[in-house]
Amino acid sequence: MAEPVLKLSNLTKTFGALKATDDVSLDLKPGEIHALIGPNGAGKSTLIHQIAGSLRPDTGSIRFLGHDVGALGVPERARMGLGRTFQISSLTPEFSALRNVMLAVQARQGTSFRFFRPVMRDRTLTEPAMAMLERVGLAGRAAVPAAELSHGERRQLEIAIALALGSKAFLLDEPMAGMDPEGSKTLTGFLDQLRAEAPILLVEHDMDAVFALADRITVLVYGRVIATGTVEDIRNDADVRRAYLGEEA
Amino acid sequence: MTRETLISLAIVLALLAIPLWATAAGETFYITLATRMAILALAAVGLNIALGLGGLVSFGHAAFFGIGGYAAGILASHAFNMEPLPFGLPGTNAMPVIWIVAIVASGLVALAIGAISLRTAGVYFIMITLAFAQMIFYFAISWPAYGGEDGLSIFVRNQFPGVNTLNGLSFFFVCFTLLIASLGLFSLLRASRFGAALQAARQNEQRLATVGIAPYRIRLAAFVISAMVTGLAGALFADLNRFVSPSMLSWHMSGELIVLIILGGVGRLAGPVAGAMLYVAFEYFLGGITERWQLFLGLLLLAVVLFARGGVVGLLAGKARHG
């Protein structure tokens, strides 16, 4: 078995009396899509926050590319190659789609403490950014401010940004949320290809997408992992059916 | 040329036209008025880097304006009295030296204030910058060496090599040149990688962090650059009035700078220039009619905030474009 890219061990996070993350261990192996599912309030977002670095776990460890990243903040983890998208699109609304991606290209190239050269005339920024927009099919909308993009386009743009960062792992928080069936289908096809580039930890409610894409699925309920396995395992797991798929076993 | 560039050019040329007209017409007082506009505009261009590009509502920029003013006043008074400064350094009445001291001093103070203030955001940031500025204000009031509450006079306007600064028009051109330079700096910064990160920090801090750029350092650098420009303006303001007092450090001054920017257009290149021209014109013409001119300024501000959020520049040039 290949060394996991991302490995969570015994993570715990409590808010007062609420155990949002309860002894969670999971890993992400090269080339796989690992889906994280669970009913609302299961602690999926809290877990994503801890992986990305915007929340600190109370106990447990997070290893990324063989390093313990527990003490690092969001920007440091991003620079290591953790590419994240948000449940609700998080973009710079006034900037065009192209400039949103250019910001990621700029970050990847290193310092932002360059004060004089105009970015729009800097081909080392515009060209890679344009290439990423082409990959996600947004090239025709490059000049449109992010605020004026459609919901689906914003989701695509977030992925283009994560791509531009040269991410070594993707952390996608409900990329299908609010998309029309056509859009979800296109995105499903795209993510299927994307796993060859870097493994994906996919939080998703769209079960068709999850069952179509996932190599492995982890089910989270009340902050606790109740099952991990292949699509088949999860489909047939009695606990999962009871807790999540809403069926009496 | 874009519409905004044209509008900016028109605003700057309008400012330039005032003293030229005043000289031709022999109305020299208007030269002083235009110089005041140019200096306040320069101070506001500085604040616009933090406020307009970075979204950092600093309610303490009077601190830097005043530090620049006191740099000019203190150096000039030591040169005038031929008393050495601490460490045996001489005073000076050379503007270039004074400007460098004003810029460096403002920058260092901004580094200290910013390093602490930028750990907060929103209303807390506004309040903490205000608190720091008020500390410096009260320090100036209670420090007798340089006039305390009464302020400090500069007996002869400081010198710039090759320019007769005692001539109002010449001094205007010195200030105007620095204003143009600051507009050039603002424009370069806005278009640069640093500017991209700074504007992203204003629009969506989470996004900036997620691409791997820490917003804190970007903001701190912007805050320091911003303070340096405002500090330079303070040195000129002291030379214009030949007087420095704690009022340059007061919170009214900080508020005035914010008002200028809102009137002219937040984050717009020529916003501070338009705002300063409007503000000084209001202060002078309405101030001549009624002591309560600020009531009308308040109404104008209200109208801008309610109906023309982009200020004068927004009204004339439309919404800002980011490419």
Side-chain angles (χ1 to χ4, degrees):
Chain A
M1 259 293 164
E3 193 61 17
V5 175
L6 180 70
K7 187 168 170 51
L8 315 184
S9 313
N10 313 100
L11 286 192
T12 311
K13 178 82 193 170
T14 55
F15 298 106
L18 176 72
K19 272 203 168 171
T21 305
D22 188 358
D23 196 26
V24 170
S25 299
L26 63 83
D27 59 14
L28 186 62
K29 298 194 178 82
E32 76 167 346
I33 294 182
H34 189 154
L36 185 63
I37 65 173
N40 287 325
K44 302 187 293 292
S45 288
T46 307
L47 192 60
I48 292 282
H49 276 296
Q50 291 171 76
I51 300 171
S54 41
L55 270 182
R56 288 279 153 86
D58 298 335
T59 60
S61 79
I62 301 171
R63 294 182 74 79
F64 180 51
L65 303 172
H67 301 279
D68 188 334
V69 297
L72 303 181
V74 176
E76 288 87 359
R77 292 186 205 190
R79 279 201 294 274
M80 284 181 72
L82 202 56
R84 177 191 185 189
T85 70
F86 293 85
Q87 193 174 351
I88 296 163
S89 297
S90 182
L91 298 160
T92 48
E94 294 168 21
F95 281 169
S96 65
L98 184 67
R99 287 205 68 172
N100 267 280
V101 185
M102 281 165 63
L103 193 66
V105 178
Q106 164 180 336
R108 188 185 181 184
Q109 285 179 6
T111 179
S112 287
F113 286 93
R114 293 204 192 145
F115 299 92
F116 300 116
R117 190 168 174 201
V119 286
M120 295 311 288
R121 270 183 249 149
D122 187 343
R123 291 214 172 144
T124 61
L125 291 177
T126 54
E127 280 172 5
M130 201 61 202
M132 292 309 158
L133 285 181
E134 266 158 28
R135 271 192 70 185
V136 301
L138 271 183
R141 306 280 280 161
V144 179
E148 291 167 26
L149 293 174
S150 75
H151 179 82
E153 286 169 339
R154 279 183 226 168
R155 314 241 57 144
Q156 287 166 280
L157 182 53
E158 282 216 330
I159 292 172
I161 293 170
L163 282 173
L165 287 172
S167 302
K168 308 248 175 16
F170 293 102
L171 211 56
L172 307 185
D173 198 355
E174 297 198 33
M176 313 282 177
M179 275 207 165
D180 58 43
E182 195 55 41
S184 314
K185 226 166 119 188
T186 315
L187 189 55
T188 304
F190 183 78
L191 294 184
D192 202 15
Q193 312 262 310
L194 189 60
R195 81 178 96 190
E197 197 154 324
I200 303 171
L201 185 65
L202 177 70
V203 175
E204 189 49 66
H205 274 302
D206 180 338
M207 282 305 137
D208 291 339
V210 168
F211 288 144
L213 285 171
D215 299 296
R216 283 191 297 159
I217 299 177
T218 290
V219 185
L220 209 60
V221 175
Y222 295 123
R224 181 179 274 282
V225 174
I226 62 164
T228 297
T230 63
V231 172
E232 274 315 300
D233 297 340
I234 297 299
R235 272 188 207 271
N236 299 326
D237 188 295
D239 284 340
V240 175
R241 294 173 81 101
R242 198 164 43 240
Y244 186 43
L245 300 177
E247 289 172 33
E248 291 300 318
Chain B
M1 211 184 283
T2 66
R3 190 158 163 202
E4 172 151 14
T5 316
L6 276 174
I7 300 287
S8 304
L9 203 60
I11 291 170
V12 169
L13 288 176
L15 175 60
L16 181 60
I18 299 171
L20 296 180
W21 163 81
T23 307
E27 300 263 15
T28 51
F29 172 73
Y30 289 101
I31 300 176
T32 308
L33 213 61
T35 311
R36 189 176 159 82
M37 288 172 177
I39 294 171
L40 286 178
L42 177 63
V45 169
L47 177 58
N48 206 19
I49 295 170
L51 174 64
L53 299 182
L56 304 170
V57 185
S58 164
F59 201 11
H61 257 51
F64 313 122
F65 195 63
I67 285 169
Y70 271 97
I74 290 172
L75 287 172
S77 82
H78 280 274
F80 188 79
N81 299 326
M82 310 243 238
E83 289 165 4
L85 287 152
F87 310 114
L89 294 167
T92 178
N93 61 2
M95 283 188 183
V97 179
I98 289 172
W99 294 345
I100 290 169
V101 172
I103 289 170
V104 170
S106 313
L108 288 175
V109 175
L111 188 64
I113 293 180
I116 298 168
S117 310
L118 287 167
R119 298 190 182 280
T120 66
V123 176
Y124 298 100
F125 179 76
I126 298 176
M127 286 301 130
I128 199 166
T129 49
L130 172 65
F132 275 116
Q134 288 300 95
M135 278 164 56
I136 296 172
F137 170 74
Y138 285 111
F139 176 74
I141 279 189
S142 58
W143 193 27
Y146 297 105
E149 206 168 354
D150 299 329
L152 179 64
S153 288
I154 299 172
F155 295 104
V156 182
R157 186 174 286 156
N158 293 307
Q159 304 294 310
F160 189 87
V163 178
N164 176 14
T165 54
L166 299 179
N167 176 297
L169 190 63
S170 303
F171 184 58
F172 170 82
F173 278 119
V174 168
C175 299
F176 186 74
T177 307
L178 289 173
L179 172 62
I180 297 299
S182 76
L183 291 173
L185 176 73
F186 180 87
S187 181
L188 280 174
L189 285 182
R190 183 170 60 170
S192 71
R193 287 181 186 219
F194 175 74
L198 180 60
Q199 291 170 81
R202 165 173 57 79
Q203 295 173 48
N204 187 344
E205 177 177 12
Q206 182 184 49
R207 171 39 71 197
L208 190 64
T210 307
V211 298
I213 301 173
Y216 177 78
R217 289 169 55 202
I218 298 284
R219 285 180 174 143
L220 184 57
F223 191 73
V224 170
I225 296 169
S226 164
M228 287 172 153
V229 175
T230 303
L232 173 63
L236 295 171
F237 198 70
D239 254 331
L240 172 69
N241 302 323
R242 284 177 232 167
F243 180 64
V244 200
S245 78
S247 73
M248 272 181 82
L249 291 158
S250 78
W251 66 269
H252 300 95
M253 191 67 230
S254 299
E256 205 173 302
L257 292 178
I258 295 174
V259 168
L260 294 185
I261 292 180
I262 293 173
L263 282 180
V266 177
R268 309 303 283 265
L269 176 62
V273 186
M277 290 171 70
L278 208 59
Y279 185 88
V280 173
F282 244 71
E283 181 183 51
Y284 174 66
F285 292 106
L286 268 178
I289 299 167
T290 166
E291 273 184 28
R292 295 173 188 83
W293 65 277
Q294 280 173 326
L295 171 67
F296 297 95
L297 181 76
L299 290 175
L300 179 69
L301 194 61
L302 203 62
V304 166
V305 171
L306 287 177
F307 306 114
R309 293 291 286 273
V312 174
V313 175
L315 210 58
L316 298 174
K319 251 183 96 182
R321 289 258 139 215
H322 290 284

